[in-house]
Amino acid sequence: MNFHAVIWEEEGVYVIREVFTGVTTQGETIEEAIENLREALELYLEEFPELKDELKNITFVGDINVQIAKALG
């Protein structure tokens, strides 16, 4: 199965979040963050096996950056 994730650097570590499940983890390197996400997703899908079929039906189209004029709050 293929998953789609975003990764960013925060306070000296790389945080990675899978887009559709919301599973989030981190690592000291990008490679470590990706490997930690792989493991976390496997555990997540063991806990919620019914999601496998739902995730197979999602068609990934692409990604886009959206800017807003000013921060809220």
Side-chain angles (χ1 to χ4, degrees):
M1 270 182 111
N2 288 320
F3 291 91
H4 304 281
V6 293
I7 188 165
W8 63 94
E9 193 264 331
E10 185 176 297
E11 298 181 10
V13 296
Y14 293 95
V15 179
I16 188 167
R17 177 178 296 145
E18 199 284 319
V19 174
F20 300 112
T21 62
V23 172
T24 305
T25 189
Q26 64 186 31
E28 291 183 12
T29 65
I30 292 173
E31 293 79 13
E32 181 182 21
I34 293 169
E35 184 56 34
N36 290 343
L37 181 64
R38 238 184 235 115
E39 292 175 11
L41 283 167
E42 288 173 359
L43 292 171
Y44 183 83
L45 291 175
E46 283 178 15
E47 185 71 24
F48 303 102
E50 66 278 2
L51 291 179
K52 286 182 184 180
D53 288 334
E54 287 182 40
L55 292 171
K56 287 178 185 176
N57 292 326
I58 294 174
T59 302
F60 181 74
V61 176
D63 62 64
I64 186 168
N65 291 313
V66 178
Q67 289 184 328
I68 58 173
K70 63 179 182 176
L72 303 175

